[in-house]
Amino acid sequence: MPTVSSEELAAAAGVNSAKLRKDFSYLGSYGTRGVGYDVEYLVYQISRELGLTQDWPVVIVGIGNLGAALANYGGFASRGFRVAALIDADPAMAGKPVAGIPVQHTDDLEKIIDENGVSIGVIATPAGAAQPVCDRLVAAGVTSILNFAPTVLSVPDGVDVRKVDLSIELQILAFHEQRKAGEEAEAQAGAAAAPAERGNDDKGPDGDVPAVMPA
Amino acid sequence: MPTVSSEELAAAAGVNSAKLRKDFSYLGSYGTRGVGYDVEYLVYQISRELGLTQDWPVVIVGIGNLGAALANYGGFASRGFRVAALIDADPAMAGKPVAGIPVQHTDDLEKIIDENGVSIGVIATPAGAAQPVCDRLVAAGVTSILNFAPTVLSVPDGVDVRKVDLSIELQILAFHEQRKAGEEAEAQAGAAAAPAERGNDDKGPDGDVPAVMPA
DNA sequence: ATGTCTTTGTGAACGCGTGCACAAAGATGA
DNA sequence: TCATCTTTGTGCACGCGTTCACAAAGACAT
Ligand SMILES: NC(=O)c1ccc[n+]([C@@H]2O[C@H](COP(=O)([O-])OP(=O)(O)OC[C@H]3O[C@@H](n4cnc5c(N)ncnc54)[C@H](O)[C@@H]3O)[C@@H](O)[C@H]2O)c1
Ligand SMILES: NC(=O)c1ccc[n+]([C@@H]2O[C@H](COP(=O)([O-])OP(=O)(O)OC[C@H]3O[C@@H](n4cnc5c(N)ncnc54)[C@H](O)[C@@H]3O)[C@@H](O)[C@H]2O)c1
């Protein structure tokens, strides 16, 4: 039976092993003292808690440059997501397959949502169409939305919205970038001011502390 | 002189006004007691601290479906970013304009980075090409990378990497989705167990607490 | 010039996540 | 069966961000 210790896992993830054990304890995933965690069982436990053991049908609305790129993205199926339908307002696109899936017209949006039991929707329309599309999705029963349009969506309670915005990602990078430049200029006195860089995680936790650096 | 109070701002953003004031105080942005903050000055202060007052040249590597969509994205220029160059390995694409910018061949990658003083790079190549491309970017002087390929990139210290992954965004939504379903089934006893939903921010702070919910 | 009223800036308390440290569990071998 | 060794699960303390609460600053009217 292949096992891993919290120590190994923690080292690989770059986190504290105690924290990792405590986190696991919340899911009730029981390891074996003196041995570690059964890998297979652990993976299953986490997958289940994360909702990855079930199949999630997803619709993408707005099949332009971005929508097509998303539809073609292979990372879907491997994680339990299935593109149930592609929807666009352009009549010229109706029936045309993208990534092997025929594009359907927005007129049928409600029907598509309902028939496929979709609860997760992706919006890749122009900014102006995002809110109306969002409203229709929500009215049709969608309760989670991933928004790529540069708009803040208003949704009723109980509906989750996540926004992906290239500009914001770049701004975060630019912020750190600017700070790097500032710090190397500060290589004069107070050498012991280095803020203890966090391990080179890729996860990209949104923000560091703004820290104290007045004008 | 148009002004805003911390109270108004906090209400609009859905955060605590004291926190907002304290955050502002870190940038040394001085408001006027009894009046509030001068909007124009505040915007400038924040923009400057965030590194938005300067122009950031950016290169996109891998001009396929996704890369083209990113190149076409309008939200760039409005935030101080400028697409300095588009780079692809496909010789057939060389010279062909995308979003009005001619695509250049990867052979010239180092030259392009250097001549444009680029420090931020976007990777939209297939997964297999991501690490090699990343290495070349870093070697050429890029110190911030936005990665769309489904790979974990290894970079030396001092280089920031952020990863955008549709699958992960969907997983986060699915996690909450699953939890919603679980909670409504729990509508039996212990009605006072509602975990105090945070305001319907769109920001999508990465995680709530896993909370206690054993098997 | 003086009083009043609004809103800032911040000291101090609170709450929570993180990390330490260790007792207990369980495997393993004698 | 008993001793030993490894690794878990967790009580407890520390540190840090958030929130409260209020003194002080400044605008504005009289
Ligand atoms: N978040 C990011 O990083 C990012 C990156 C690139 C683009 N974008 C945004 O994504 C969106 C799409 O970008 P794009 O380059 O694919 O644009 P696009 O113009 O190529 O595609 C938009 C598609 O939406 C369809 N559409 C328009 N109105 C619709 C409606 N009411 N219902 C359904 N479909 C509708 C159009 O027919 C078109 O096919 C834009 O809002 C853009 O700003 C975001
Ligand atoms: N993060 C996300 O949400 C998301 C979404 C969709 C796609 N993707 C990923 O983005 C990447 C691109 O997706 P796509 O649909 O545009 O693929 P694509 O095949 O359409 O485009 C890839 C492009 O990269 C170019 N390329 C290949 N090797 C290269 C190299 N060594 N140097 C420079 N250019 C190179 C190709 O010529 C092609 O033009 C893929 O890795 C895909 O998995 C991510």
Side-chain angles (χ1 to χ4, degrees), chain B residues 74-138:
Chain B
F76 269 114
S78 57
R79 312 266 195 104
F81 297 99
R82 180 171 47 83
V83 181
L86 304 179
I87 303 177
D88 200 287
D90 186 353
M93 299 200 64
K96 222 171 71 178
V98 171
I101 303 167
V103 176
Q104 298 180 265
H105 194 266
T106 28
D107 285 352
D108 300 323
L109 189 145
E110 287 76 11
K111 202 184 84 179
I112 298 167
I113 301 291
D114 186 56
E115 286 182 357
N116 291 279
V118 174
S119 55
I120 301 179
V122 177
I123 297 179
T125 65
Q131 184 66 55
V133 165
C134 172
D135 292 342
R136 285 184 67 182
L137 287 174
V138 170

Side-chain angles (χ1 to χ4, degrees), chain B:
Chain B
M1 181 177 86
T3 60
V4 271
S5 69
S6 62
E7 204 63 56
E8 295 174 278
L9 241 33
V15 299
N16 184 287
S17 67
K19 174 166 158 45
L20 196 145
R21 285 198 296 280
K22 186 159 288 187
D23 284 354
F24 282 0
S25 77
Y26 288 135
L27 346 158
S29 90
Y30 297 146
T32 308
R33 300 185 181 211
V35 177
Y37 298 88
D38 173 29
V39 173
E40 194 181 349
Y41 183 62
L42 184 61
V43 167
Y44 169 73
Q45 283 277 321
I46 295 176
S47 297
R48 188 177 52 76
E49 187 67 22
L50 261 42
L52 269 46
T53 51
Q54 51 187 287
D55 179 78
W56 293 99
V58 172
V59 295
I60 303 176
V61 185
I63 314 302
N65 282 308
L66 183 62
L70 297 176
N72 274 297
Y73 185 41
F76 269 114
S78 57
R79 312 266 195 104
F81 297 99
R82 180 171 47 83
V83 181
L86 304 179
I87 303 177
D88 200 287
D90 186 353
M93 299 200 64
K96 222 171 71 178
V98 171
I101 303 167
V103 176
Q104 298 180 265
H105 194 266
T106 28
D107 285 352
D108 300 323
L109 189 145
E110 287 76 11
K111 202 184 84 179
I112 298 167
I113 301 291
D114 186 56
E115 286 182 357
N116 291 279
V118 174
S119 55
I120 301 179
V122 177
I123 297 179
T125 65
Q131 184 66 55
V133 165
C134 172
D135 292 342
R136 285 184 67 182
L137 287 174
V138 170
V142 167
T143 46
S144 287
I145 289 177
L146 183 55
N147 179 32
F148 284 86
T151 322
V152 177
L153 296 175
S154 300
V155 292
D157 282 356
V159 176
D160 281 330
V161 176
R162 292 189 64 85
K163 189 182 167 187
V164 176
D165 191 331
L166 181 58
S167 294
I168 290 178
E169 299 297 326
L170 290 178
Q171 280 186 29
I172 294 170
L173 287 174
F175 173 71
H176 290 309
E177 199 62 37
Q178 178 195 231
R179 175 147 307 204
K180 288 177 199 166
E183 268 165 19
E184 83 192 16
E186 265 175 54
Q188 18 160 314
E197 194 71 44
R198 71 161 177 276
N200 64 339
D201 303 337
D202 62 301
K203 305 177 305 176
D206 279 30
D208 281 359
V209 224
V212 191
M213 175 188 155

Side-chain angles (χ1 to χ4, degrees), chain A residues 48-49 51 73 75-76 79 81 143-144 146 155 158 160 162 165-167 169-171 176-178 180, chain B residues 48-49 51 73 75-76 79 143-144 146 158 160 162 165-167 169-171 176-178 180 200:
Chain A
R48 189 177 53 75
E49 187 67 22
Y73 184 41
F76 270 114
R79 312 266 195 106
F81 297 98
T143 46
S144 286
L146 183 56
V155 291
D160 282 328
R162 291 188 64 86
D165 191 333
L166 180 58
S167 293
E169 300 297 326
L170 289 179
Q171 280 185 29
H176 290 309
E177 199 62 38
Q178 178 196 231
K180 287 177 200 166
Chain B
R48 188 177 52 76
E49 187 67 22
Y73 185 41
F76 269 114
R79 312 266 195 104
T143 46
S144 287
L146 183 55
D160 281 330
R162 292 189 64 85
D165 191 331
L166 181 58
S167 294
E169 299 297 326
L170 290 178
Q171 280 186 29
H176 290 309
E177 199 62 37
Q178 178 195 231
K180 288 177 199 166
N200 64 339

Side-chain angles (χ1 to χ4, degrees), chain A residues 42 59 61 69 85 88 96 98 110 114 116 122 130 134 144 190 202 205:
Chain A
L42 184 62
V59 296
V61 186
D88 199 289
K96 221 171 71 179
V98 171
E110 286 77 10
D114 187 55
N116 292 280
V122 176
C134 172
S144 286
D202 62 300

